[in-house]
Amino acid sequence: MGTHNNVKYQLLQRIWAFDLMEKLVCIWQFSDNRKINLKLEPKPALLPERYGQCKKKWNMKQLMFFILSITFFQVYIGFSKKVNKPITDNQPAKVLGIYEYKYDYNTKDLTENHYIKLEETNGKISGIYYGTSDDFDEAREGYLPGFFKAKMLDINITDSKISFKIKVNDSDVYDKAITPFKNPKNNKQWTIGLRNYERSYFGKISENKILVETKDFDKRIFIKLNNH
C-alpha cells in the first residue's frame, strides 16, 4: 500500500511541475521586458490570442504518455546505476576482493594475466598488484616476461575513481607467474633486468570491475572474481 501511494504521489508531483513550467514559459515568452527587468508581466496586446494558444492543454493520452516516458527513463537510469554502482566513502567493503585482467595474447604455454587484490587493514584499504615485467620494460623482444607481486602504494579510492603507484626492484621479479592463487616453489629470479622501477596507475572502480589506465599501455579491464 505504501509503495502504491508513493507512486501516486510522484505522478501528481510531475503533473504539477509540468503545469507550472508550462505557465512560466508562456508568461516569459510574451512578456514586454523579459530581457530587461524580468518582471514576467504578460504583454496585453498579445495575451488574448497568442497567450491563449500557448496555454493549450494536452489531452489525457498525451499527458499520460509524457509521464510514463519520464518514469521509464528514471527507472532505466536507476537500474544502470545499480548494475555499475560507484563506491562511496562509507562502502569500502564492497570493493574488497580479487580482480582479474585477462591478457589478450595468452598462449597455451604462457599466461600473462594481471590481478589486483584489495584488502582492509586497520580500517584502510590496502592492495597487492600481480603483473609482468612489461610494465617496467621499454620493449620486449626475444625473451619471456618476468612476473611480480608488489604492494599498491598511495591508494586513493574516491567515489568511482581509483589511483595508485607501484615500485619494484629486480629482486621482485621471477620467471614463473605469481598470482593470488599460485606462488610456484623454486621460482627463480628473472635475470633480464628492469628498465624502470616505478609506475602510476589510475582509472574507474565499481563493485564488480576496475578499469585501469597507465602511460603507454591500453586500458585494462579487471573483472571481480566471485567467491574471493
Side-chain angles (χ1 to χ4, degrees), residues 43-58:
K43 193 171 184 178
L46 297 177
L47 184 59
E49 180 178 353
R50 295 177 64 188
Y51 183 70
Q53 292 177 358
C54 179
K55 278 292 297 161
K56 284 182 179 179
K57 297 290 185 182
W58 285 14

Side-chain angles (χ1 to χ4, degrees), residues 71-117:
T71 302
F72 175 79
F73 179 75
Q74 288 182 330
V75 170
Y76 173 77
I77 293 299
F79 177 76
S80 298
K81 288 182 177 179
K82 185 176 180 180
V83 170
N84 199 18
K85 188 177 179 182
I87 306 304
T88 57
D89 291 338
N90 61 351
Q91 296 175 310
K94 292 188 177 182
V95 302
L96 302 182
I98 298 173
Y99 299 76
E100 179 185 43
Y101 160 70
K102 291 187 177 181
Y103 183 62
D104 291 334
Y105 305 103
N106 286 332
T107 66
K108 182 180 179 180
D109 299 321
L110 183 64
T111 300
E112 300 180 49
N113 295 346
H114 291 219
Y115 296 87
I116 290 176
K117 184 178 181 180

